[in-house]
């Protein structure tokens, strides 16, 4: 690993999320730069590199991984590609920040984590919501006993997939499309983070209303039971323009309401309700992706863990896959306990 001043990142995937958030989040860190991008299309790699002033553009994974200026990779290709790309990056000695869902199967996700461990590189999952000041505050309130014993959670994450993203998520089951692997997986990670508990059982029903094709779902409602007894209700969709988003955690001594908090933006508010009434809890907003990359960079220096580790990504995937199976079967599905 080189000094802070020379830490180079390679982007695996010329994606929307890289363009909209991640290049900026990486460059916001002292001593980090994006030095290479790889796309399956050389033209897309070149135009992405030119637009974002990235010095090297590649159309093959091997070429990007052979670049000695690349020390860490950010993987944001479609979901079926993450596992093989992460394993190749680990074997080339590159640290890996990978998008969610980590993979399409638990076997692949575990193989990614093992490859990173064997190579001695850091693996992190880009679950952004745990970096939100709102969610960190909610977690702190729950841990401090502000609502007593948590009993229920409700996640409102039914949104409208913007036209520029109405592609593979809606018609490519082989790419890991559908709302469950896209949004439910984030809800699971957020609930695990807030509650400090693991989901153990799932039930659910899904909907294919008008956007999704090829047997994919564009809406889902699921219920998870956590190992601390909490029941969580999750409402996720690509099709709801006006639903609004947020989260509620209800305990035996109070409730926390997070409004507008299931967002990529540093926005939203936290309210605490208890016998004293309703109080707005102050939060200091900061960029979610910037904070996530900062934690990853600190982990590269041996300072703490990434905000969401590889194991966090494996566990959120396990629960999302269980929700998908529960929807398919119309039955309760147990979520496996996974360790590395
Ligand atoms: P995009 O559809 O923008 O990009 C995915 C891939 O599609 C790219 O890697 C690219 O392949 C290909 N692609 C991009 N533009 C074109 C085009 N014009 N024509 C043909 N192919 C194209 O996906 P997202 O950025 O929305 O998502 C990428 C990943 O990030 C997914 O895993 C998703 O789940 C995750 N994500 C995570 C978020 C988070 O907050 N953590 C938010 C949004 C997405 P190539 O690289 O070969 O050019």
């Amino acid at each position: 690993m080189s000094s802070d001043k020379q830490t180079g990142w390679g982007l695996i995937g010329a994606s929307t999320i890289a363009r909209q958030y991640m290049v900026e989040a990486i460059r916001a860190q002292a001593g980090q730069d994006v030095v290479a991008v790889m796309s399956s299309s050389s033209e897309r790699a070149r135009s992405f590199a030119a637009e974002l002033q990235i010095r090297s553009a590649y159309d093959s994974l091997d070429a990007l991984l052979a670049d000695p200026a690349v020390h860490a990779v950010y993987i944001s290709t479609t979901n079926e590609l993450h596992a093989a790309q992460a394993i190749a990056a680990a074997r080339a000695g590159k640290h890996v920040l990978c998008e969610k869902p980590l993979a399409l199967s638990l076997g692949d996700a575990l193989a990614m984590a093992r490859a990173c461990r064997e190579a001695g590189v850091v693996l992190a999952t880009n679950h952004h919501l745990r970096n939100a000041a709102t969610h960190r505050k909610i977690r702190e309130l729950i841990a401090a006993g502000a609502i007593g014993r948590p009993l229920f959670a409700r996640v409102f994450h039914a949104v409208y997939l913007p036209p520029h993203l109405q592609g593979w998520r809606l018609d490519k089951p082989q790419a890991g499309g559908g709302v469950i692997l896209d949004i439910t997986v984030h809800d699971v990670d957020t609930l695990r983070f807030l509650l400090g508990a693991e989901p153990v059982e799932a039930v659910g029903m899904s909907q294919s209303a008008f956007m999704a094709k090829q047997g994919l779902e564009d809406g889902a409602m699921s219920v998870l039971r956590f190992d601390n007894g909490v029941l969580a209700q999750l409402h996720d969709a690509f099709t709801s323009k006006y639903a609004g988003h947020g989260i509620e955690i209800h305990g035996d001594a109070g409730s926390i309401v997070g409004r507008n908090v299931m967002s990529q933006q540093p926005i939203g508010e936290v309210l605490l309700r208890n016998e004293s009434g309703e109080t707005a809890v102050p939060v200091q907003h900061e960029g979610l992706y910037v904070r996530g990359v900062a934690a990853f960079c600190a982990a590269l220096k041996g300072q703490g863990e990434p905000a969401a580790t590889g194991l966090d990504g494996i566990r959120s995937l396990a629960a999302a896959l269980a929700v998908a199976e529960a929807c398919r079967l119309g039955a309760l599905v147990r979520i496996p306990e996974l360790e590395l």
Side-chain angles (χ1 to χ4, degrees):
M1 189 77 206
S2 58
S3 77
D4 272 3
K5 293 283 167 227
Q6 299 160 327
T7 302
W9 287 68
L11 306 180
I12 299 179
S15 68
T16 307
I17 174 86
R19 176 185 276 110
Q20 283 189 336
Y21 291 100
M22 294 305 290
V23 170
E24 191 184 338
I26 292 166
R27 287 180 168 160
Q29 318 294 328
Q32 313 287 315
D33 195 13
V34 178
V35 297
V37 58
M38 176 243 140
S39 165
S40 57
S41 143
S42 49
E43 173 47 35
R44 199 154 55 237
R46 272 200 303 275
S47 65
F48 192 99
E51 178 191 337
L52 292 158
Q53 287 96 49
I54 297 170
R55 69 173 181 249
S56 302
Y58 300 110
D59 62 6
S60 94
L61 181 62
D62 288 348
L64 178 127
L65 295 179
D67 185 336
V70 172
H71 308 110
V73 297
Y74 166 61
I75 299 176
S76 63
T77 47
T78 49
N79 304 326
E80 83 285 15
L81 301 173
H82 296 173
Q85 291 169 336
I87 290 168
R91 288 182 180 154
K94 318 292 185 186
H95 301 283
V96 178
L97 173 57
C98 187
E99 270 306 340
K100 45 46 70 170
L102 277 188
L104 301 188
S105 74
L106 290 178
D108 278 355
L110 285 162
M112 293 163 76
R114 287 177 187 139
C116 288
R117 191 173 56 188
E118 277 161 25
V121 298
V122 172
L123 171 63
T125 313
N126 205 28
H127 276 308
H128 60 298
L129 289 167
R130 26 167 99 213
N131 298 303
T134 48
H135 289 292
R136 288 186 290 114
K137 180 58 74 179
I138 294 170
R139 174 181 152 106
E140 196 182 298
L141 289 168
I142 294 171
I147 58 168
R149 177 183 161 208
L151 300 173
F152 299 103
R154 301 204 296 166
V155 183
F156 307 89
H157 208 163
V159 297
Y160 189 77
L161 192 64
H164 69 280
L165 293 183
Q166 291 179 17
W168 58 270
R169 283 175 174 82
L170 300 173
D171 60 9
K172 289 221 171 72
Q174 69 277 19
V179 78
I180 295 172
L181 283 181
D182 201 53
I183 298 185
T184 307
V185 74
H186 274 313
D187 301 347
V188 173
D189 182 68
T190 306
L191 288 166
R192 290 183 59 246
F193 175 71
L194 297 182
L195 298 169
E198 294 298 333
V200 291
E201 291 175 339
V203 293
M205 287 191 189
S206 63
Q207 184 182 70
S208 189
F210 58 89
M211 270 193 187
K213 312 259 181 311
Q214 308 294 335
L216 287 171
E217 76 289 344
D218 52 25
M221 285 188 161
S222 53
V223 175
L224 302 176
R225 186 192 303 279
F226 281 75
D227 60 3
N228 62 353
V230 167
L231 290 182
Q233 182 188 68
L234 283 54
H235 175 197
D236 301 308
F238 288 149
T239 50
S240 304
K241 273 191 182 157
Y242 308 107
H245 52 87
I247 199 164
E248 297 174 357
I249 315 283
H250 303 286
D252 62 3
S255 290
I256 296 169
V257 175
R259 286 203 190 116
N260 296 319
V261 297
M262 306 308 285
S263 173
Q264 295 177 284
Q265 306 293 332
I267 58 170
E269 56 180 341
V270 177
L271 303 171
L272 175 63
R273 290 187 199 138
N274 56 23
E275 61 184 4
S276 311
E278 182 174 281
T279 318
V281 182
V283 292
Q284 296 291 322
H285 289 295
E286 64 182 297
L288 284 66
Y289 298 99
V290 173
R291 187 182 171 89
V293 175
F296 184 85
C297 294
L300 298 193
K301 291 189 256 171
Q303 295 162 7
E305 291 212 304
T309 61
L311 187 58
D312 289 316
I314 291 167
R315 289 183 170 165
S316 64
L317 176 64
L321 291 174
V323 167
E325 197 184 347
C327 293
R328 258 192 318 271
L329 300 176
L332 183 147
V333 173
R334 282 204 63 78
I335 301 165
E337 280 177 48
L338 293 160
E339 295 294 342
L340 291 181

